Amino acid sequence: MSTLGVAFHEGAVVAKRNLRMILRVPELLVNAAVAPIMMTLLFGFVIGGAIELDGVSYREFLMDGIFVQAVLFSAVNTGTVIASDITTGIVDRLRSMPISRSAVLMGRTSSDVVNNLVVVVVTAVLGLVIGWRVRTSFLDALLGFVVLLVFAYALSWLMAVVGLAMRVPEVVSSTGFTIAIPLGFLSNAYVPIDTMPGVLQAVAAWNPISAVVQALRDLFGNMPANAVRPDAWPMQHPVAASLLWIVVLLAVFIPLATRQYWKAVSR
Amino acid sequence: MTDAIVAEGLGKRFDEVTALDGLDMVVPEGTITGLLGPNGAGKSTTVRLLTTLMTPDSGRAEVAGLDVVTRAAEVRRVISLSGQHTAVDGNLTGFENLEMLGELLHLGRRRARTRADELLARFDLVEVAGRRVKDYSGGTRRRLDLAASLIRTPAVLFLDEPTTGLDTRSRMGLWDTITELVAGGTTLLLTTQYLEEADRLADQVVVVDGGRVVARGTPHELKREVAGERLEITVAPGADAAAARAALAGVGTGAVVVDDLGRHFSVPVDDGVDALLAGAHALRAAGVPVVDAAVRTPTLDDVFLALTDKDQEYSG
């Protein structure tokens, strides 16, 4: 077997263990799914009434933001679980075995794709109930969900780095949310960017979250094609920008996490 | 005979704490070495360095002839580690744990399962194989942990405090298991803070304290070297104490100690059995009636306390 094949096989074995864990300890997944439900209800029914949009219902506009916020919160779980995994003896055993350096992280981030899938499905069902619809073709919708899940995968690696840097699950969780909440709100997820003050508009337009949210709005048809959008390149080409952000996140955080994993566990 | 483990001047610091301060050690192939020391002596750090989990700041080490730093990947192919924290997954069953590790070792799914079944049978775990490990008792979990380190037969097996926290019965059960294990020729490095454990299992004991080796030898040698054997004699009531003392002075290698009643005598000796016979003979010749005579070999506890307690002056 090639080196890559070996790493893939070992990652798959670890992922299988993690998936078993979802069934054994479903609380983790339930918690991850509760966050988007709560945000949807709070913004859709409490805050949303005060927000007026031209030509589109706020709840429909909101759901695309919730999708991205949901996977962002779910990624924090990745970091927390990695932090608690590395404090158990099992990681010592795995590291003393002849297995590839990235097997544990590969396994974790790939099994979290399943977590994210569940979270996205729950969010989509809730969206359908409150009036969100896919108004484009099946292929566009499919592309939208693929972009969302691949972006979620990249976020898992980012939060893995946080988990490995902080090492204490409680600290990882609070740090993770300290990153995730402003990142989510400083974007077009909840309100249109043009309602923000000038400096924040620039930040929000270049925030990777905004690119993905905008890509979803375009691919699901949740925003009129003629609606005004910021001139920033990522907002004009959100799908390309999303893919680019995904590549950048993966290229930065996979090597960083792998290096940190070895540093963290060899202390 | 070649050496399975060679460590030369191993040093490791954590911030301000020196965990290892130039540790030297040799473990011949096919033997059991007990690394004995109090908490914080550097036992676990030694194991972590030898099993490639950490790299030393100074010094070098080889396991099975392979440098643990430059050839770490090869070292991992020939060792197994059963660490201080039980390294099995609480949310998986015993079978699933072993199956997972087998698959990680590229046994293939079918072979991993067969191997899991073999090990469960060998470690008397068949009954609990389908239960989640978090519901296991401490002793059962350690047995599983040990089984997990034997999915492949390692050339060198590291057991880091395998019986810490276990009750006496489980501990003795685990000792039997370990004894059977090494009958197969595996080299074993075992860390422990239990003297009885080192005494029971180890061919060679290396005593560490403050990150250095303070003594080494067979349990028997250590006991003799550090504390020495003593001839202990009790004479009948009313016997001539002065005559007894004179007689025993002739067979001992040091001062004769007498208790307040003048009936119990203790003297350091070289060769216990010869000294016992000579002492009995000398006392009989002096006309002193003896009611009890014994050679007391110090326990490893004596050795341990003498070597690791810095405040205590020890002359032996």
Side-chain angles (χ1 to χ4, degrees):
Chain A
M1 238 190 296
S2 67
T3 318
L4 200 65
V6 167
F8 185 79
H9 164 80
E10 291 162 355
V13 175
V14 176
K16 190 169 88 180
R17 169 255 183 186
N18 296 339
L19 292 177
R20 271 179 172 147
M21 212 72 95
I22 295 178
L23 300 175
R24 306 270 158 93
V25 196
E27 293 87 342
L28 276 177
L29 185 55
V30 171
N31 284 343
V34 163
I37 295 175
M38 196 181 67
M39 297 298 271
T40 305
L41 299 178
L42 285 178
F43 275 85
F45 293 90
V46 180
I47 296 170
I51 301 172
E52 277 294 328
L53 296 177
D54 281 343
V56 62
S57 94
Y58 178 66
R59 283 181 204 156
E60 190 148 340
F61 172 91
L62 171 70
M63 284 321 294
D64 300 309
I66 296 286
F67 277 124
V68 182
Q69 184 78 73
V71 297
L72 186 54
F73 282 170
S74 168
V76 177
N77 270 343
T78 305
T80 316
V81 175
I82 284 179
S84 72
D85 267 0
I86 61 168
T87 51
T88 59
I90 188 119
V91 165
D92 277 356
R93 160 154 289 141
L94 295 181
R95 288 194 53 231
S96 71
M97 286 167 49
I99 66 175
S100 72
R101 289 164 69 97
S102 53
V104 170
L105 293 176
M106 282 293 188
R108 166 55 53 198
T109 49
S110 16
S111 62
D112 280 346
V113 172
V114 175
N115 263 328
N116 287 325
L117 191 62
V118 173
V119 169
V120 166
V121 167
V122 168
T123 308
V125 169
L126 181 66
L128 288 172
V129 170
I130 67 163
W132 166 81
R133 294 289 181 274
V134 172
R135 300 184 190 281
T136 50
S137 66
F138 172 78
L139 276 181
D140 280 339
L142 187 68
L143 179 59
F145 283 115
V146 168
V147 168
L148 178 62
L149 287 170
V150 180
F151 183 66
Y153 179 74
L155 290 178
S156 287
W157 282 97
L158 178 143
M159 289 299 175
V161 170
V162 174
L164 293 164
M166 299 296 158
R167 296 160 58 89
V168 181
E170 291 78 8
V171 182
V172 174
S173 176
S174 61
T175 311
F177 283 111
T178 306
I179 296 171
I181 290 173
L183 201 60
F185 278 84
L186 270 178
S187 76
N188 58 0
Y190 300 100
V191 292
I193 289 179
D194 58 27
T195 62
M196 300 178 188
V199 183
L200 289 188
Q201 282 195 23
V203 174
W206 285 90
N207 182 343
I209 302 294
S210 299
V212 181
V213 172
Q214 191 60 53
L216 294 188
R217 284 183 186 141
D218 288 358
L219 290 167
F220 295 157
N222 297 139
M223 209 172 133
N226 55 357
V228 191
R229 57 177 74 189
D231 290 333
W233 182 82
M235 295 297 96
Q236 296 292 329
H237 308 92
V239 177
S242 299
L243 296 176
L244 216 59
W245 271 117
I246 289 166
V247 170
V248 169
L249 289 174
L250 292 174
V252 171
F253 290 108
I254 290 182
L256 204 59
T258 309
R259 227 186 62 195
Q260 260 189 326
Y261 174 73
W262 280 70
K263 255 171 62 184
V265 290
S266 57
R267 270 191 244 182
Chain B
M1 190 155 45
T2 48
D3 294 323
I5 301 174
V6 180
E8 287 168 4
L10 281 187
K12 182 76 184 175
R13 288 180 65 81
F14 300 104
D15 298 325
E16 290 308 299
V17 184
T18 303
L20 282 185
D21 185 19
L23 180 128
D24 299 304
M25 185 170 68
V26 173
V27 176
E29 209 168 80
T31 64
I32 307 184
T33 292
L35 203 54
L36 182 66
N39 279 328
K43 305 186 296 288
S44 290
T45 305
T46 307
V47 168
R48 293 179 70 81
L49 292 178
L50 294 174
T51 53
T52 77
L53 297 182
M54 292 192 306
T55 49
D57 297 335
S58 55
R60 54 180 293 284
E62 280 180 7
V63 171
L66 303 162
D67 188 285
V68 295
V69 176
T70 58
R71 301 177 75 180
E74 289 160 87
V75 169
R76 284 182 212 120
R77 293 187 182 280
V78 297
I79 61 165
S80 263
L81 165 68
S82 188
Q84 200 174 130
H85 309 285
T86 341
V88 281
D89 205 318
N91 284 306
L92 299 182
T93 67
F95 177 81
E96 287 167 348
N97 265 290
L98 297 179
E99 182 199 26
M100 174 180 80
L101 294 169
E103 285 185 35
L104 280 174
L105 290 166
H106 302 274
L107 292 187
R109 194 160 187 196
R110 182 171 301 167
R111 182 78 194 101
R113 293 184 160 195
T114 332
R115 186 64 185 145
D117 283 330
E118 285 167 16
L119 287 166
L120 289 165
R122 175 166 165 204
F123 286 86
D124 195 20
L125 291 163
V126 175
E127 255 174 63
V128 294
R131 263 189 251 159
R132 289 192 211 178
V133 170
K134 65 177 175 190
D135 299 329
Y136 284 19
S137 70
T140 310
R141 201 182 291 212
R142 289 297 174 95
R143 283 213 306 282
L144 178 66
D145 201 82
L146 206 53
S149 59
L150 294 170
I151 289 170
R152 295 164 309 160
T153 307
V156 185
L157 176 62
F158 294 86
L159 300 180
D160 193 8
E161 305 207 4
T163 66
T164 298
L166 293 189
D167 59 48
T168 310
R169 182 184 293 272
S170 316
R171 176 170 302 149
M172 291 170 73
L174 210 64
W175 287 349
D176 290 340
T177 312
I178 293 170
T179 313
E180 284 168 31
L181 210 77
V182 290
T186 297
T187 306
L188 172 61
L189 181 70
L190 164 96
T191 77
T192 180
Q193 12 177 345
Y194 300 112
L195 308 141
E196 200 192 346
E197 189 159 289
D199 208 356
R200 241 318 267 282
L201 297 175
D203 302 312
Q204 178 197 204
V205 176
V206 175
V207 185
V208 287
D209 192 32
R212 302 185 70 94
V213 174
V214 292
R216 78 186 84 222
T218 65
H220 185 69
E221 281 167 1
L222 278 180
K223 289 175 201 169
R224 285 188 43 166
E225 198 177 296
V226 174
E229 290 174 318
R230 297 186 78 86
L231 177 60
E232 312 266 342
I233 300 282
T234 307
V235 300
D240 183 348
R245 178 195 277 264
L248 288 174
V251 296
T253 56
V256 181
V257 180
V258 193
D259 74 346
D260 293 342
L261 294 172
R263 287 191 54 206
H264 184 80
F265 298 79
S266 169
V267 61
V269 293
D270 260 349
D271 191 323
V273 178
D274 279 355
L276 178 64
L277 294 171
H281 187 76
L283 288 168
R284 172 166 292 178
V288 179
V290 175
V291 294
D292 189 44
V295 175
R296 195 177 79 87
T297 308
T299 63
L300 266 185
D301 284 282
D302 297 328
V303 176
F304 191 63
L305 289 171
L307 288 170
T308 60
D309 186 355
K310 293 170 194 76
D311 297 326
Q312 184 185 325
E313 272 296 313
Y314 199 93
S315 52

